[in-house]
């Protein structure tokens, strides 16, 4: 993830970048620290996509004190750290894309299965969205 040029070069062996493609960034942007420039990396990947491409993104938010404490404990013991961010910051990774309805929402609430409206999604501190490159 830290080398978007390499990712794009390798993907070009399989994908036709003259046609729309899908980019899936589920739980991956949190692997990047702020010092690594996650907005720049996302912009570089998205910038290489042709019009009509979609980007799916989901990541953990900093909206839960319990989750923040758990991630802090994990990061203290791990070489591979995870970085929670505000929902707004996570949404900024999709800059320049038109968000598909319902937009940036809690991942559990993004187009839930029919009949699941009765289920309360009390847990889950991730947001997600799908963006279209026009």
């Amino acid at each position: 993830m830290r080398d978007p040029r390499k990712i794009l070069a390798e993907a070009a062996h399989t994908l036709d970048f003259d046609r729309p493609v899908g980019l899936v960034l589920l739980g991956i942007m949190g692997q990047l620290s702020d010092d690594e420039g996650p907005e720049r990396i996302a912009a570089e990947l998205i910038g290489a996509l042709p019009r009509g491409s979609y980007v799916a993104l989901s990541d953990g938010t900093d909206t839960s004190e319990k989750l923040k404490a758990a991630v802090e404990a994990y990061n203290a013991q791990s070489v591979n750290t995870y970085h929670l961010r505000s929902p707004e910051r996570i949404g900024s990774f999709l800059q320049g894309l038109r968000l598909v309805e319902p937009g940036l929402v809690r991942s559990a609430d993004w187009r839930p299965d029919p009949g699941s409206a009765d289920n309360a999604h009390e847990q889950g501190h991730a947001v997600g969205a799908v963006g279209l490159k026009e």
Side-chain angles (χ1 to χ4, degrees):
M1 192 61 194
R2 291 165 178 84
D3 190 350
R5 288 186 190 111
K6 183 176 181 179
I7 292 169
L8 293 166
E10 292 297 321
H13 294 300
T14 305
L15 301 174
D16 178 357
F17 280 100
D18 291 326
R19 301 182 60 191
V21 297
L23 175 62
V24 178
L25 300 172
L26 303 179
I28 194 76
M29 298 307 292
Q31 304 296 322
L32 299 169
S33 70
D34 289 344
D35 293 340
E36 293 174 292
E39 286 88 357
R40 175 192 54 79
I41 291 171
E44 190 169 342
L45 291 171
I46 292 168
L49 302 178
R51 289 171 32 134
S53 294
Y54 285 90
V55 179
L57 171 110
S58 178
D59 251 308
T61 68
D62 61 2
T63 57
S64 163
E65 291 304 318
K66 285 183 182 179
L67 180 59
K68 287 195 301 190
V71 169
E72 187 176 305
Y74 168 82
N75 287 347
Q77 302 176 54
S78 178
V79 174
N80 300 309
T81 57
Y82 192 80
H83 307 275
L84 300 170
R85 296 185 170 95
S86 70
E88 297 78 19
R89 178 90 186 277
I90 293 168
S92 76
F93 299 137
L94 297 173
Q95 187 86 17
L97 301 178
R98 181 176 59 78
L99 298 186
V100 174
E101 288 296 326
L104 183 72
V105 296
R106 287 187 319 154
S107 297
D109 296 330
W110 205 94
R111 299 218 178 153
D113 291 333
S116 69
D118 300 344
N119 299 335
H121 298 292
E122 294 301 322
Q123 296 184 5
H125 294 279
V127 294
V130 172
L132 170 64
K133 185 171 181 181
E134 296 181 311

